[in-house]
């Protein structure tokens, strides 16, 4: 049996990397991406092209396969920041995800994510938009604590 070394004096152990699935919600398609806090990057995964229970069954398979710590949902707004019908729908989708999978759900303003994905030449614009949404979320997290000189000397 191996034992982990204790953290340096005065330094808390590093938080484990958290993984996420992100969603670019649409009425006909939902783009999906995966990423984590260790690499602070996201990768397009797939686009779910189903509705109703079939949509959630496909998402359940992805949740079971990737075992994320939390979910991220892109929420669209008008350019001026005003909400619209799809804002309400995306938020309802996020609540459904939380209710079904009992995972934390984070919302991200996803204005222009699909436009950005298309401009980058994405083959699957919905999954690429989900990756952009997730990378935006990962950038919003506090950066990991750098090792200070006094920690390295301990």
């Amino acid at each position: 049996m191996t034992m982990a070394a204790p953290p340096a004096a005065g330094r808390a152990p590093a938080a484990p990397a958290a993984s996420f699935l992100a969603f670019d919600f649409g009425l006909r398609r939902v783009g999906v991406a995966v990423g984590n806090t260790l690499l602070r990057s996201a990768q397009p995964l797939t686009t779910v092209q189903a509705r109703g229970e079939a949509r959630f069954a496909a998402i359940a398979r992805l949740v079971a396969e990737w075992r994320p710590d939390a979910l991220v949902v892109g929420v669209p707004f008008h350019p001026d920041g005003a909400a619209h019908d799809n804002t309400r729908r995306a938020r309802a989708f996020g609540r459904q995800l939380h209710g079904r999978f009992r995972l934390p759900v984070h919302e991200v303003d996803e204005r222009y994510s699909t436009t950005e994905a298309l401009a980058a030449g994405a083959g699957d614009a919905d999954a690429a938009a989900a990756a952009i949404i997730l990378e935006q979320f990962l950038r919003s997290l506090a950066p990991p604590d750098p090792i200070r000189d006094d920690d390295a000397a301990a």
Side-chain angles (χ1 to χ4, degrees), residues 26-152:
L27 292 176
R28 288 174 295 230
R29 298 179 308 276
V30 177
V32 185
V34 62
N36 63 61
T37 56
L38 180 65
L39 299 175
R40 290 191 173 264
S41 67
Q43 296 297 318
L45 194 55
T46 190
T47 293
V48 174
Q49 297 191 34
R51 293 178 144 187
E53 285 304 314
R55 172 180 285 179
F56 286 103
I59 292 170
R61 288 189 293 275
L62 293 169
V63 168
E65 178 181 354
W66 290 95
R67 301 174 47 96
D69 296 297
L71 307 174
V72 177
V73 175
V75 178
F77 292 93
H78 284 295
D80 66 359
H84 52 77
D85 287 345
N86 283 340
T87 307
R88 180 185 51 76
R89 290 181 186 114
R91 286 185 163 154
F93 176 70
R95 288 190 301 274
Q96 288 175 309
L97 291 173
H98 175 71
R100 288 172 183 260
F101 303 112
R102 297 291 178 217
L103 290 168
V105 175
H106 304 279
E107 292 182 354
V108 172
D109 180 347
E110 65 111 354
R111 276 179 278 189
Y112 309 115
S113 61
T114 301
T115 301
E116 186 178 336
L118 290 169
D124 181 344
D126 298 306
I132 290 166
I133 290 163
L134 183 49
E135 286 183 343
Q136 181 179 339
F137 172 76
L138 292 169
R139 283 191 306 270
S140 76
L141 299 176
D145 287 337
I147 296 177
R148 298 182 316 251
D149 290 337
D150 58 332
D151 288 339

